[in-house]
Amino acid sequence: MASQLNIKDDATVREVREYAAQTGRTVTATIREAVRNDRSRREEEIAERIRRANELIDEVRRNMPPETRAMTSWEIMESIYDDNEPDGFAR
């Protein structure tokens, strides 16, 4: 059984066929390569965002007071919030 992909946009079909002819590849190989390249680029972008986020997390941790470094965010919030104070913050 053959797989099919029906592209209903004439401009896209024309562009893929022209590019396939220029590169000497089949239309299928051209589309496959384009998808692989796009996925690879996207995965690299995601990895870079994660790397930058981790850098920011590390910077925040370095700048935290030593006594809060081992605390969870919940424990930190509990340590600064007090139900008995009018504004809710511990003194």
Side-chain angles (χ1 to χ4, degrees):
M1 173 169 51
S3 298
Q4 290 187 1
L5 177 65
N6 186 6
I7 300 173
K8 296 180 181 173
D9 179 54
D10 292 339
T12 300
V13 171
R14 187 171 44 256
E15 193 168 340
V16 170
R17 285 185 176 155
E18 287 173 5
Y19 188 64
Q22 291 171 355
T23 61
R25 293 186 299 219
T26 65
V27 169
T28 300
T30 300
I31 293 171
R32 182 185 311 115
E33 187 67 23
V35 170
R36 284 181 180 163
N37 288 341
D38 191 62
R39 287 181 73 182
S40 177
R41 187 173 27 257
R42 183 173 184 274
E43 289 168 3
E44 289 171 7
E45 289 171 0
I46 290 169
E48 176 61 17
R49 288 181 190 160
I50 291 170
R51 186 194 64 74
R52 288 193 328 246
N54 285 331
E55 282 181 358
L56 290 171
I57 290 167
D58 290 343
E59 182 178 343
V60 168
R61 283 188 180 138
R62 281 192 305 273
N63 290 301
M64 289 175 70
E67 62 273 10
T68 61
R69 288 185 186 152
M71 296 171 76
T72 66
S73 58
W74 178 259
E75 292 169 330
I76 293 169
M77 291 304 293
E78 285 292 309
S79 75
I80 64 173
Y81 186 76
D82 185 346
D83 288 332
N84 299 317
E85 291 293 329
D87 64 359
F89 291 100
R91 302 281 184 253

